């Protein structure tokens, strides 16, 4: 046995190192044919106390491909049923394991740089070789071994048949944004296989709650082990289904401090206050034209249960006619105009919104309520 493990490193198909003890050359007999000098990797000691009769070695695809060529040259119908099941399975596997060539490389599409913000996930366009685009089979994109700028992480993606340009998700775990140059090598495309030995049935039913109706789905999986189901489904968080649905929306980590400071400012100005309401609407972050943050609340669930109020806007021609004899003009602007209107104390709990930092409710009129424009116009 040749002890090559100290200077010859071998990796498996998944890119992880493959430990082995050494390298040995043996003769193989297949269907009466003797194939000399076939290399085996010895992966464990035969005297390790195991009673397993299987040889403790690995036969590479190069040797299996060689065996297949010799067998097909000697026996035309070797794969038609003459071979035993083990050899037939091995040679079929050789046919599926096509080597990764230059035509399988996937690169960044386009001629401009792609920007991936800090601590976030972005979608970029990737381009495959023209020959792969003509392939009508399902394909699997896998990241390459080479590291990308800024330590970006790529997510494996299924690629539809016949597509040359396809989207790939990129994760940036660093605290700074990263520009990805065009034509950078991302990974390779391999043959994908669809698994259809399980079925999934989705059913919906409506649960009545005190303040809202929640749609709940029940999934009935057949042929799938419970160990393969999502671990989150086994987590017991307590509360009623309506209360479990009141979770805050994810906020990008790089905006946490800015949102926290904004909420603290509203709290100091007595625009909001702490809440223990049964209502909980999620927040929406909107950028103003000056780049500052505006905290809006998604009140769609609340607006569905609100009786609508209307108040007409003034006619522009009437406003102009009122200025016919005016000689001096002035303009008055309200800072955060909606916040100049107080919310009735008995209705404040309905404006509650949920954030990663706690549950709050508005003391002043917020954006997003369906009756806020009419109320503000009536005040004006």
């Amino acid at each position: 046995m040749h002890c090559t493990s100290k200077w010859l490193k071998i990796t498996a198909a998944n890119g992880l190192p493959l430990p082995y003890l050494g390298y040995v050359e043996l003769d193989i007999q297949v269907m009466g044919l003797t194939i000399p000098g076939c290399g085996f990797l010895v992966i464990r000691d035969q005297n390790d106390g195991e009673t397993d009769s299987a040889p403790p070695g690995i036969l590479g695809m190069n040797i299996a491909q060689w065996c297949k060529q010799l067998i097909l040259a000697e026996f035309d119908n070797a794969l038609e049923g003459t071979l035993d099941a083990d050899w037939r399975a091995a040679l079929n596997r050789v046919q599926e394991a096509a080597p990764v060539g230059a035509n399988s490389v996937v690169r960044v599409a386009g001629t401009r740089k792609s920007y991936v913000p800090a601590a976030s996930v972005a979608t970029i366009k990737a381009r495959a070789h023209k020959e792969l685009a003509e392939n009508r089979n399902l394909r699997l994109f896998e990241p390459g071994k080479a590291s990308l700028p800024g330590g970006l992480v790529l997510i494996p993606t299924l690629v539809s048949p016949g597509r040359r340009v396809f989207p790939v998700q990129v994760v940036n775990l660093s605290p700074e944004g990263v520009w990805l140059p065009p034509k950078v090598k991302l990974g390779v495309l391999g043959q994908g296989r669809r698994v259809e030995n399980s079925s999934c049935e989705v059913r919906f039913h409506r649960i009545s709650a005190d303040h809202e109706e929640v749609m709940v789905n029940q999934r009935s999986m057949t042929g799938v082990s419970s160990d393969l189901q999502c671990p989150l489904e086994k987590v017991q968080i307590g509360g009623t289904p309506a209360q479990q649905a009141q979770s805050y929306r994810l906020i990008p980590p790089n905006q946490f401090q800015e949102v926290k400071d904004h909420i603290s400012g509203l709290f100091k100005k007595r625009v909001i206050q702490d809440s223990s309401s049964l209502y909980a609407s999620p927040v929406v972050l909107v950028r103003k034209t000056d780049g500052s943050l505006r905290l809006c609340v998604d009140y769609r669930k609340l607006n569905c249960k609100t009786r609508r109020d209307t108040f007409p806007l003034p006619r522009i021609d009437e406003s102009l006619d009122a200025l016919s004899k005016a000689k001096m003009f002035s303009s008055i602007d309200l800072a955060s105009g909606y916040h100049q209107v107080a919310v009735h104390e008995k209705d404040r709990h309905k404006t509650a919104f949920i954030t990663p930092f706690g549950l709050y409710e508005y003391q002043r009129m917020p954006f997003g309520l369906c009756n806020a424009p009419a109320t503000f116009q009536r005040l004006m």
Side-chain angles (χ1 to χ4, degrees), residues 44-112:
R44 69 172 186 271
D45 191 354
Q46 290 181 336
N47 299 323
D48 58 0
E50 296 184 8
T51 58
D52 189 3
S53 59
I58 297 179
L59 182 67
M61 282 293 183
N62 56 337
I63 301 299
Q65 180 69 30
W66 188 19
C67 294
K68 178 181 179 181
Q69 294 175 356
L70 293 177
I71 293 174
L72 291 179
E74 186 71 20
F75 307 98
D76 294 336
N77 61 343
L79 298 181
E80 300 294 334
T82 309
L83 281 173
D84 58 67
D86 293 337
W87 272 105
R88 189 184 303 113
L91 299 187
N92 287 334
R93 181 69 66 179
V94 171
Q95 185 174 357
E96 295 177 0
V100 176
N103 293 345
S104 301
V105 175
V106 175
R107 301 181 183 274
V108 177
T111 58
R112 297 183 179 180

Side-chain angles (χ1 to χ4, degrees), residues 324-365:
S324 60
K325 296 182 180 181
K327 296 181 180 180
M328 300 182 63
F329 302 90
S330 64
S331 61
I332 300 176
D333 185 22
L334 293 177
S336 302
Y338 275 20
H339 293 168
Q340 307 298 327
V341 184
V343 178
H344 199 287
E345 188 173 355
K346 69 180 182 64
D347 290 325
R348 291 177 182 175
H349 69 284
K350 300 176 184 178
T351 65
F353 61 96
I354 188 169
T355 71
F357 318 108
L359 185 68
Y360 303 93
E361 62 188 27
Y362 274 93
Q363 295 179 272
R364 320 296 294 183
M365 188 169 68

Side-chain angles (χ1 to χ4, degrees), residues 48-329:
D48 58 0
E50 296 184 8
T51 58
D52 189 3
S53 59
I58 297 179
L59 182 67
M61 282 293 183
N62 56 337
I63 301 299
Q65 180 69 30
W66 188 19
C67 294
K68 178 181 179 181
Q69 294 175 356
L70 293 177
I71 293 174
L72 291 179
E74 186 71 20
F75 307 98
D76 294 336
N77 61 343
L79 298 181
E80 300 294 334
T82 309
L83 281 173
D84 58 67
D86 293 337
W87 272 105
R88 189 184 303 113
L91 299 187
N92 287 334
R93 181 69 66 179
V94 171
Q95 185 174 357
E96 295 177 0
V100 176
N103 293 345
S104 301
V105 175
V106 175
R107 301 181 183 274
V108 177
T111 58
R112 297 183 179 180
K113 293 183 178 181
S114 301
Y115 182 69
V116 184
S120 60
V121 180
T123 302
I124 65 172
K125 291 184 179 181
R127 180 183 296 274
H129 197 271
K130 183 178 180 180
E131 295 181 4
L132 288 178
E134 298 174 353
N135 190 344
R136 296 301 174 181
N137 297 323
L138 187 68
R139 296 161 297 161
L140 175 65
F141 164 75
E142 294 181 291
K145 298 180 181 178
S147 59
L148 295 175
L152 298 178
V153 179
L154 297 171
I155 300 178
T157 307
L158 279 178
V159 182
S160 302
R163 295 195 63 179
R164 185 181 180 186
V165 178
F166 54 90
V168 173
Q169 286 190 316
V170 184
V171 183
N172 184 5
L173 302 177
S174 66
E176 298 180 356
V178 177
W179 286 95
L180 196 59
K183 299 183 180 179
V184 170
K185 181 179 178 181
L186 299 176
V188 295
L189 271 182
Q191 187 70 26
R193 292 183 298 174
R194 191 185 303 274
V195 179
E196 298 179 347
N197 59 353
S198 62
S199 60
C200 175
E201 179 185 358
V202 181
R203 293 178 298 162
F204 292 89
H205 66 277
R206 193 177 296 273
I207 298 178
S208 297
D210 293 338
H211 300 281
E212 60 181 346
E213 293 182 339
V214 182
M215 295 299 293
V216 180
N217 67 311
Q218 291 183 340
R219 291 184 293 176
S220 176
M221 303 292 291
T222 60
V224 179
S225 172
S226 59
D227 296 335
L228 299 179
Q229 296 180 4
C230 178
L232 294 179
E233 297 179 357
K234 302 178 182 180
V235 177
Q236 301 295 330
I237 62 175
T240 64
Q243 293 171 339
Q244 293 176 7
Q246 296 176 354
S247 60
Y248 62 85
R249 288 179 180 170
L250 293 177
I251 295 177
N254 60 330
Q255 297 183 4
F256 257 49
Q257 189 60 42
E258 187 177 7
V259 175
K260 189 174 182 179
D261 294 341
H262 185 76
I263 292 177
S264 178
L266 294 177
F267 193 86
K268 291 179 180 179
K269 295 177 182 178
R270 297 185 179 180
V271 177
I272 61 175
Q273 63 184 9
D274 291 324
S275 177
S276 59
S277 172
L278 294 178
Y279 289 79
S281 299
V283 297
V284 180
L285 305 181
V286 180
R287 288 290 178 187
K288 298 181 182 179
T289 55
D290 59 358
S292 60
L293 182 69
R294 172 178 289 159
L295 186 71
C296 300
V297 184
D298 186 358
Y299 282 126
R300 286 179 293 181
K301 290 285 187 179
L302 180 63
N303 290 337
C304 289
K305 301 179 180 298
T306 303
R307 183 183 299 174
R308 299 298 174 120
D309 180 27
T310 56
F311 192 90
L313 291 173
R315 293 178 58 92
I316 297 179
D317 52 356
E318 287 183 354
S319 300
L320 294 176
D321 291 341
L323 303 175
S324 60
K325 296 182 180 181
K327 296 181 180 180
M328 300 182 63
F329 302 90

